[in-house]
Amino acid sequence: MRLVVTNINLGLWAAAYIKEKISAFSPSPEKPFVLGLPTGGTVVDMYANLRLFHKAGLLDFKNVVTFNMDEYVGLPHDHPQSYHSYMRRHLFDEVNLLPENTHILNGEAPDPAAECAAFEAAIARAGGIDLFVGGVGRNGHIAFNEPGSAFNTRTRQVALAPSTIQANARFFFNDENRVPKTALSVGIGTVTDAKEVLFLASGDKKAQAVARVMQPGQDINCPLTALKLHPHATLLADPQACSQLTAPAQEKLAEQMAKSPNATHWMLKTEEL
């Protein structure tokens, strides 16, 4: 796993990375590029830049298939804070993704277990996910896999941790009572089955999780550390999210920044620390 640190906008870096991956893949109707997508505040700029790339004729979504990470249980699709609404607002209504190629879990499904099993089956039919993009939770959660989630979990219904409910209250008039308490979410195993993963961490509130992933070993209480088991995993972070790195990691990063002050990013590998 590598930690990529950049001073440029994380959303721009991530969107450019996704664009290059799709372009290099040269997707076709017979062999589409399968993209795992997140929601949340961390990736708003990423979607804005993906829309700009599309409008400029630099990115074609016609042969891209998407699978979203999660959805709140109980929210109608047209609720402004549902992830169906989020994706329509930030991407789907603005690019040429085919509706039949977009997949989001149904939080109103009468049989949540069957809905989750069908989602896993759809990923398998698509040939697996080529690139899974995600954001990092304050407590190190990925998708809605909270601390304590086993690393081999699959798509399922989950209970949200109090810290996650508190963090998401800003989307519900700062009222924690309005935040759904459960969600349908891909599992950690679902994420790590992807051929490549890219996760974003911004701001000092994510610094503890970034610091933990750059320390030795994996920790079930920090789901983000599961990505260290993946052969092609990238954690993209801004300097603020790296403020709690260990002294050796800080020194390596400072050396790189001093050596190449005009670089677009600097990189650390977990196995080097």
Side-chain angles (χ1 to χ4, degrees):
M1 180 179 182
R2 62 178 187 165
L3 171 67
V4 172
V5 184
T6 182
N7 274 322
I8 68 173
N9 181 277
L10 289 191
L12 174 58
W13 197 102
Y17 191 83
I18 294 168
K19 177 176 70 69
E20 292 305 316
K21 287 291 178 178
I22 294 174
S23 298
F25 190 89
S26 297
S28 66
E30 297 74 28
K31 189 180 179 182
F33 186 88
V34 185
L35 181 63
L37 291 175
T39 53
T42 301
V43 292
V44 167
D45 286 347
M46 181 187 81
Y47 286 123
N49 282 284
L50 288 174
R51 296 194 305 269
L52 288 173
F53 288 149
H54 174 71
K55 290 177 181 177
L58 300 173
L59 181 55
D60 185 0
F61 285 94
K62 184 173 65 175
N63 295 316
V64 174
V65 172
T66 66
F67 288 89
N68 265 79
M69 284 187 154
D70 39 36
E71 177 59 287
Y72 290 115
V73 167
L75 287 193
H77 291 182
D78 60 356
H79 188 285
Q81 295 307 325
S82 77
Y83 290 153
H84 283 75
S85 291
Y86 178 104
M87 291 307 301
R88 289 195 301 271
R89 188 165 61 246
H90 289 286
L91 188 67
F92 293 169
D93 289 350
E94 304 294 330
V95 301
N96 64 333
L97 273 162
L98 301 177
E100 60 268 28
N101 285 346
T102 64
H103 302 81
I104 307 180
L105 286 153
N106 179 10
E108 292 188 293
D111 186 341
E115 172 69 9
C116 293
F119 199 75
E120 289 278 347
I123 293 174
R125 283 195 303 274
I129 293 174
D130 293 299
L131 173 63
F132 219 137
V133 183
V136 177
R138 297 181 187 183
N139 60 5
H141 74 247
I142 56 177
F144 275 134
N145 295 282
E146 300 286 9
S149 299
F151 287 176
N152 63 350
T153 49
R154 313 307 302 186
T155 303
R156 69 208 189 284
Q157 185 169 345
V158 296
L160 306 188
S163 60
T164 299
I165 293 170
Q166 181 183 44
N168 287 2
R170 68 190 189 278
F171 301 119
F172 292 85
F173 303 100
N174 291 311
D175 184 354
E176 293 183 25
N177 293 320
R178 292 174 179 258
V179 183
K181 303 304 184 287
T182 59
L184 302 184
S185 173
V186 297
I188 296 176
T190 313
V191 173
T192 56
D193 273 356
K195 298 175 183 69
E196 183 177 0
V197 292
L198 170 67
F199 274 70
L200 284 65
S202 62
D204 55 8
K205 291 180 180 178
K206 310 295 177 68
Q208 186 174 356
V210 173
R212 177 62 191 90
V213 83
M214 295 305 291
Q215 295 168 7
Q218 295 83 44
D219 182 357
I220 196 171
N221 292 312
C222 182
L224 182 63
T225 61
L227 301 187
K228 296 171 71 173
L229 300 170
H230 197 286
H232 303 291
T234 299
L235 175 59
L236 177 66
D238 59 19
Q240 293 74 29
C242 298
S243 59
Q244 295 186 34
L245 291 177
T246 61
Q250 293 277 15
E251 290 172 7
K252 283 182 176 288
L253 184 58
E255 288 174 6
Q256 288 195 31
M257 296 174 108
K259 184 177 180 180
S260 305
N262 298 318
T264 58
H265 63 264
W266 305 272
M267 185 177 68
L268 295 176
K269 292 186 178 180
T270 53
E271 59 266 26
E272 295 176 347
L273 301 174

